[in-house]
Amino acid sequence: MVPAQRSGEHRDGERRSVDLYEALEFLELYYTETRPASSLEQRLHQVRDEIAETGTYRHTNAELTFGARVAWRNSARCIGRLYWQSLRVRDRRHVDTSERIADESFRHLRGTTRSGQIRSTLTVFAPDTPDRPGPRIHNEQLLRYAGYRSADGTVLGDPRYVDFTERVSSFGWQPPASPGRFDLLPLMITGADGHTQLFDVPGDAVLEVALSHPEFPWFAELGLRWHAVPAISNMPLVIGGIRYPAAPFNGWYLNTEIGARNLTDTDRYDLLPELAARMGLDTSSVRTMWRDRALVEMVRAVQHSFDTAGVKMADHHTESERFLDHVAREKAAGRTCPAEWSWIVPPMSGGLTTVFHQDYDQPNPHLRPAFLPPQL
Ligand code: ARG
């Protein structure tokens, strides 16, 4: 058994100062790219003194915003990076209790959703300090659906979140009286005081789209839906040596994320067999390509439903073109654009999209600022 972490102390009990070199490297980048009125020399001195005295330093609001935007720009798996400069950054570094983080996360959702006119938004909560880890949100995203495993091994809901659903349940969460396929999970948040609590997401902070198909009237009867906003909440943001463990961020969905993965992966909702049966396809052999045909109709339904509901959603063809614009712009600015091909190429019609036919700069795990892999 792993001993529980004492509150107010890092896991190994050590005091952790900010790495001066990482701070300087970030400030140089910030000054080179944004050319602020103040002098770099002066700022470097200030930060060096602050770190010597307190073990850490405080970003200015402008540094924080720039750092978060560049962390997005450096995200090798994201096809939507053309818009990196438009990221809206909500500075909530003074917020470190679980109650207030929940409340600010709900405000984040309301402020980004805007009835479907989604805008890319990030909220930064309190950072780690030399004496204690910062707060953290345990959910992978602010909005996710529960998965319930029944005695016969089948899963109701999203199989990806069976373990997390069990975790919050053992923590006291009560699923709805009659559990369904799309029950929103509560937020599980640990404050900087080490205290963990659950919070149900209020209905007015969530927009969901009921799915229908442009030609199949029966599609709506399947009762499928998805939430409008994908908001990643468990990737620490690192800027200039400072780690912000709770910094939820969102863009808007790409059609295939929902239609060709969440609803179709065999270890997610696995809905292609049901869809193919309703379409009357011959499923006796993979060679009839019933999966491929059903997949296209699933993604069409997702796109159609979001479009009709007036909820912003990208399509894989357009986003592919825009990503190549972004790569060209980065090159023109004298920068590389690291990208992971297998994440950039959409999970359907790969070769029909322009991003398929390109090689990209190797991702560099040490590139900063960055969003780090989730801590488990
Ligand atoms: N693929 C994830 C999901 O389906 C979302 C990842 C972030 N996507 C985005 N468009 N910003 O929930």
Side-chain angles (χ1 to χ4, degrees):
M1 231 184 70
V2 183
Q5 185 182 339
R6 267 180 291 158
S7 64
E9 198 179 81
H10 283 289
R11 224 169 287 229
D12 49 15
E14 242 174 68
R15 209 167 181 270
R16 284 203 213 133
S17 279
V18 165
D19 184 317
L20 179 63
Y21 176 77
E22 287 181 44
L24 303 188
E25 190 181 49
F26 167 67
L27 292 169
E28 266 170 24
L29 182 74
Y30 170 69
Y31 276 76
T32 312
E33 287 196 27
T34 70
R35 311 204 167 278
S38 60
S39 99
L40 170 62
E41 285 303 298
Q42 215 182 334
R43 182 62 178 138
L44 291 182
H45 276 295
Q46 212 179 44
V47 165
R48 194 173 295 142
D49 290 350
E50 207 176 328
I51 293 177
E53 205 175 304
T54 67
T56 185
Y57 69 105
R58 199 184 141 75
H59 289 133
T60 64
N61 204 281
E63 288 164 1
L64 185 71
T65 298
F66 172 78
R69 289 176 176 167
V70 175
W72 181 7
R73 187 175 85 194
N74 287 340
S75 298
R77 295 178 167 181
C78 178
I79 192 176
R81 284 180 276 165
L82 179 65
Y83 317 101
W84 68 275
Q85 289 172 92
S86 68
L87 180 68
R88 205 174 131 247
V89 177
R90 302 173 69 237
D91 179 3
R92 298 293 183 277
R93 284 176 289 174
H94 53 284
V95 174
D96 68 358
T97 64
S98 52
E99 289 88 354
R100 293 205 51 213
I101 288 168
D103 181 57
E104 282 296 342
S105 298
F106 302 147
R107 286 175 197 273
H108 172 130
L109 287 172
R110 291 185 196 102
T112 190
T113 306
R114 301 193 300 169
S115 313
Q117 284 178 276
I118 299 165
R119 47 182 173 179
S120 301
T121 304
L122 176 139
T123 301
V124 197
F125 294 112
D128 287 346
T129 71
D131 308 302
R132 56 135 187 85
R136 61 180 281 209
I137 301 172
H138 298 268
N139 309 56
E140 184 176 66
Q141 293 193 27
L142 297 180
L143 305 175
R144 293 275 89 173
Y145 298 122
Y148 311 101
R149 200 189 318 271
S150 36
D152 66 357
T154 57
V155 172
L156 175 69
D158 195 339
R160 185 180 174 103
Y161 298 103
V162 165
D163 289 347
F164 190 78
T165 304
E166 281 167 7
R167 225 173 124 200
V168 292
S169 300
S170 69
F171 220 85
W173 183 62
Q174 296 280 0
S178 55
R181 279 196 289 185
F182 301 100
D183 298 341
L184 282 171
L185 286 161
L187 293 186
M188 182 175 182
I189 303 174
T190 302
D193 60 2
H195 212 78
T196 303
Q197 264 183 278
L198 301 180
F199 302 88
D200 280 317
V201 182
D204 73 335
V206 188
L207 178 63
E208 290 179 288
V209 177
L211 303 186
S212 60
H213 188 278
E215 286 120 35
F216 306 151
W218 47 261
F219 193 100
E221 291 160 23
L222 300 176
L224 307 179
R225 56 204 287 119
W226 205 260
H227 51 87
V229 175
I232 309 280
S233 44
N234 66 352
M235 296 181 78
L237 167 62
V238 183
I239 303 171
I242 295 187
R243 190 168 166 283
Y244 300 95
F249 61 88
N250 74 275
W252 50 86
Y253 262 118
L254 179 61
N255 56 9
T256 50
E257 297 186 272
I258 300 170
R261 299 297 309 279
N262 301 350
L263 296 176
T264 62
D265 277 0
T266 50
D267 57 357
R268 299 293 295 286
Y269 282 81
D270 191 19
L271 287 163
L272 292 187
E274 192 179 344
L275 188 50
R278 297 292 285 254
M279 288 170 68
L281 300 179
D282 173 4
T283 58
S284 63
S285 158
V286 290
R287 297 168 70 99
T288 67
M289 300 194 205
W290 63 270
R291 297 181 61 86
D292 312 63
R293 295 177 63 187
L295 176 66
V296 171
E297 300 310 331
M298 181 67 95
V299 178
R300 287 186 70 213
V302 168
Q303 186 81 65
H304 166 80
S305 309
F306 272 64
D307 288 353
T308 346
V311 176
K312 191 159 173 173
M313 168 170 272
D315 72 86
H316 52 305
H317 299 291
T318 310
E319 221 48 50
S320 175
E321 295 291 330
R322 297 213 175 121
F323 181 68
L324 294 184
D325 287 350
H326 170 67
V327 173
R329 279 203 213 177
E330 287 300 288
K331 199 170 167 202
R335 294 189 289 259
T336 62
C337 180
E340 284 187 50
W341 191 95
S342 67
W343 279 71
I344 297 296
V345 172
M348 74 182 281
S349 310
L352 300 183
T353 64
T354 46
V355 286
F356 180 94
H357 306 272
Q358 302 276 326
D359 286 326
Y360 302 102
D361 296 319
Q362 267 315 97
N364 167 5
H366 305 293
L367 198 60
R368 295 288 183 272
F371 291 106
L372 299 188
Q375 41 172 195
L376 296 175

